[in-house]
Amino acid sequence: GEDVEQSLFLSVREGDSSVINCTYTDSSSTYLYWYKQEPGAGLQLLTYIFSNMDMKQDQRLTVLLNKKDKHLSLRIADTQTGDSAIYFCAESPATPYKLSFGAGTTVTVRA
Amino acid sequence: DGGITQSPKYLFRKEGQNVTLSCEQNLNHDAMYWYRQDPGQGLRLIYYSQIVNDFQKGDIAEGYSVSREKKESFPLTVTSAQKNPTAFYLCASRAKQTGLKGDTIYFGEGSWLTVV
């Protein structure tokens, strides 16, 4: 959506780190999410962060939140071929709870 | 297994016809959502329902209708008034917020609708 922006494409070499960036405009956003979509499938929740946090780590995934700049990033360490997918950033206020999505970043992992 | 089931996976519609996409969840979630996905545009919210017998329009509700007669079901009808219905439709659900955990939306596998 217009309120959430992401770059459309990212190419990364296998084994390197990937960083996907996202900016949002709604200062009332309470929850911020990263979803992964493989071809022809639904969205899989990867991780989420609350607006009162600035970092969250979950295995190979690290989420950084800069609330002042309304900037969210997802870092994938040791990127694998199975990480090739579209990654969506999403945000939601507390109420009404409904997600607004970015256009998605297509990540391509090359050998 | 618990989850969200959408059917059919693929659907073809003739111009002027109404079609209904099914969404069923057995997660005992209170809220349900319908999103439309077009290439390069991300997901846009069509309708959402926070409780049985109640629903609200999302950002692109025109040409669509929904009902929420049962907690587990939230069917979406794409009417003939929707001029460009070819898209990938995603249904989602969410448990009622009771604390810091579980405040997330889970998605079905989607339905492809094509106008022929």
Side-chain angles (χ1 to χ4, degrees), chain B residues 48-63:
Chain B
Y48 64 106
S49 167
Q50 310 223 54
I51 196 168
V52 175
N53 291 324
D54 186 49
F55 49 83
Q56 289 80 40
K57 292 182 179 180
D59 301 318
I60 54 164
E62 185 176 349

Side-chain angles (χ1 to χ4, degrees), chain A residues 9-105:
Chain A
F9 301 99
L10 175 67
S11 179
V12 62
R13 186 174 298 176
E14 187 175 10
D16 288 351
S17 292
S18 309
V19 179
I20 308 168
N21 294 301
C22 169
T23 58
Y24 61 98
T25 58
D26 188 348
S27 58
S28 68
S29 295
T30 304
Y31 307 102
L32 297 123
Y33 300 87
W34 286 103
Y35 282 86
K36 176 183 180 182
Q37 185 181 36
E38 297 183 358
L43 271 67
Q44 172 194 354
L45 176 67
L46 283 179
T47 188
Y48 61 93
I49 190 168
F50 297 115
S51 59
N52 61 357
M53 300 168 64
D54 52 22
M55 187 182 90
K56 181 179 179 181
Q57 187 154 2
D58 185 0
Q59 299 182 334
R60 292 192 298 123
L61 306 178
T62 302
V63 179
L64 295 177
L65 174 62
N66 181 331
K67 195 175 180 181
K68 173 176 169 290
D69 294 338
K70 299 189 184 69
H71 182 267
L72 182 73
S73 68
L74 174 70
R75 177 176 179 270
I76 305 173
D78 187 24
T79 309
Q80 303 297 307
T81 55
D83 295 324
S84 292
I86 303 176
Y87 290 81
F88 290 95
C89 169
E91 55 91 13
S92 175
T95 56
Y97 186 99
K98 51 176 182 167
L99 290 176
S100 295
F101 286 85
T105 300

